[in-house]
Amino acid sequence: MTITATAATAPTTSAAADRRTSSAGEIADELCAVVCDSLRRRDQREKARRYVRGLLSTPGRKSFRNMAGDIGGTASEQSLHHFVTGSTWAWQPVRAALAGCLEAAAGPPPAWVAQPMAIPRSGAHSVGVEHRFDPHRERMFRGQQAFGTWFTSAGVVTPVGWELLLPGSSYEESAVGAVLATVRRAGGAAAERPVVLDIRGIGTRSTMNRFAEAGVPVVARVAAGVGAGAGAGAGAGAGAGNRFLVRDAAVPGFGGGERGPAEILRSVKALGAPVEWTDAGGAARSSWAVGVRVMMPDPAVARRRELLLVGEWGAGAGGPAAELVGMWVTDLVRTPVGAVVRLTKGGLRVEAVAGASGRAVGLRDYSGRGLGGWHRHVTLASVAHAAVALAGLERDPRA
């Protein structure tokens, strides 16, 4: 079976938009026929298809009741509810199959993008709900904190893996464990592509070591310094201990001991150059970027290795702006700085898509109490999102 991604188009008429919506449903049926093959029973596969169709067709919030009203009534509500919350089918094979389908349809992604997704909740009964700090947006909220791993090819941006931060669990461990599990399940060449960890302050020594041990290249966002981007309940102190040794004898700071990333980057700002990239809307942009070879001090000599610390400033008239807008550390030490910066822009595409078509398929809409139900819901919502992406609808602001 071949699933073809639809190219982005100019704004459409209402009739054309209806045809493209219908196309998303047809693509969803084709996807379900492949990715749900691991479900043992035919009735389970049919319920999965109906659930995905309900996510695509139901307006507003994708609750069991709302979807059942759209596709079959009260009996359907009970059936959908049990299929997601009370059944035992495994979601991991579905996600792995989805990643394979996407690569076959849209080509290999240059990188995976891991990004947090805050899910506000006012109640106390949904799984994983706490009053917590969201480092990505630097504010407190009450709700669930999820981590998504996104497939980001030239024409398709859609999630293929998820984890939910549970009370008492490590913010960093949940984020890192989620993306490594997704990449391992994808297997083959997909497991060798870099991961962009667009998560504030996640670029710590332990994170970099985990990726090195797994043999997966990584570009990880780092925090400015002690206490930056951290707060109660969600990785307090994330990135707080990040210190680096400058390894390039030709730049300031070499031989000067451990220093914070912002201090190092500002000292070499004048050595940077403009970098051209494309934003989430397709517009050409420019930044000022610099890279410097560093090492994270580690008590274990065997784990000490050279990394590339990259800083980005907005580009002003003829030079860099004053504000340092991004700091990243990567083991892609032979990759040009401009290429590293362009890889990080996958996070902007993910953020734009998660805020629009992510709402349209109900990625944040599950409010049940069980963790298994949450995983099954976001897995099927990811299949629906992939259908939207392959149909080209995620690029239409009205979709």
Side-chain angles (χ1 to χ4, degrees):
M1 182 197 71
T2 301
I3 302 170
T4 303
T6 302
T9 63
T12 60
T13 64
S14 177
D18 288 344
R19 285 195 297 273
R20 291 173 69 198
T21 302
S22 174
S23 174
E26 294 169 1
I27 291 173
D29 288 348
E30 295 179 43
L31 280 173
C32 286
V34 176
V35 304
C36 296
D37 187 60
S38 59
L39 276 64
R40 292 176 298 171
R41 301 199 313 268
R42 180 181 299 177
D43 67 305
Q44 288 181 317
R45 297 192 289 274
E46 174 59 19
K47 287 176 182 177
R49 187 193 70 81
R50 290 176 62 213
Y51 195 90
V52 171
R53 277 285 196 157
L55 292 169
L56 289 170
S57 64
T58 304
R61 187 169 177 273
K62 319 299 179 184
S63 66
F64 296 120
R65 178 170 297 179
N66 289 346
M67 285 196 292
D70 192 60
I71 64 176
T74 303
S76 180
E77 178 184 354
Q78 296 171 347
S79 177
L80 291 176
H81 186 278
H82 180 267
F83 175 66
V84 170
T85 65
S87 187
T88 58
W89 58 270
W91 57 84
Q92 297 93 336
V94 177
R95 295 176 183 177
L98 177 60
C101 277
L102 288 166
E103 182 156 352
W112 305 96
V113 174
Q115 197 171 91
M117 183 175 75
I119 309 171
R121 289 272 183 266
S122 56
H125 300 296
S126 297
V127 60
V129 170
E130 280 191 319
H131 192 65
R132 62 175 85 245
F133 182 80
D134 179 5
H136 199 68
R137 290 169 179 78
E138 299 185 333
R139 63 172 181 253
M140 299 295 297
F141 79 104
R142 179 171 180 79
Q144 299 163 315
Q145 179 69 74
F147 300 101
T149 304
W150 293 68
F151 179 99
T152 57
S153 71
V156 172
V157 179
T158 192
V160 291
W162 292 98
E163 187 58 272
L164 189 67
L165 179 62
L166 299 177
S169 299
S170 161
Y171 184 90
E172 186 169 321
E173 174 59 31
S174 296
V176 173
V179 68
L180 285 177
T182 298
V183 171
R184 288 191 190 104
R185 280 195 296 268
E192 300 173 2
R193 296 190 187 103
V195 169
V196 175
L197 278 176
D198 191 9
I199 304 172
R200 306 280 177 183
I202 207 72
T204 66
R205 186 175 67 200
S206 59
T207 291
M208 301 305 289
N209 287 341
R210 283 282 301 279
F211 277 88
E213 290 162 4
V216 178
V218 64
V219 183
R221 187 184 287 272
V222 293
V226 176
N242 281 355
R243 309 287 288 177
F244 298 91
L245 295 170
V246 174
R247 298 287 291 166
D248 190 339
V251 303
F254 178 75
E258 300 176 17
R259 303 164 68 196
E263 180 186 0
I264 293 173
L265 290 168
R266 289 183 180 118
S267 72
V268 297
K269 179 180 179 181
L271 303 177
V275 173
E276 304 296 327
W277 49 278
T278 303
D279 69 14
R285 302 289 184 188
S286 179
S287 296
W288 183 272
V290 67
V292 59
R293 286 182 289 130
V294 298
M295 183 183 75
M296 278 185 169
D298 197 302
V301 176
R303 288 201 297 258
R304 297 175 190 169
R305 64 193 184 283
E306 195 167 270
L307 301 168
L308 184 68
L309 179 64
V310 175
E312 180 188 4
W313 291 260
E323 183 183 2
L324 182 61
V325 297
M327 298 185 298
W328 303 79
V329 65
T330 179
D331 49 12
L332 298 172
V333 293
R334 293 182 176 83
T335 302
V337 170
V340 173
V341 170
R342 283 186 283 273
L343 279 179
T344 70
K345 300 309 175 183
L348 297 180
R349 296 176 66 202
V350 166
E351 193 159 2
V353 168
S357 48
R359 282 194 298 271
V361 299
L363 281 175
R364 295 176 173 87
D365 284 354
Y366 182 76
S367 56
R369 300 187 181 190
L371 182 61
W374 181 86
H375 274 289
R376 294 185 188 93
H377 169 82
V378 293
T379 297
L380 296 176
S382 296
V383 176
H385 195 287
V388 169
L390 290 167
L393 289 171
E394 69 177 17
R395 296 189 174 196
D396 185 341
R398 300 171 302 171

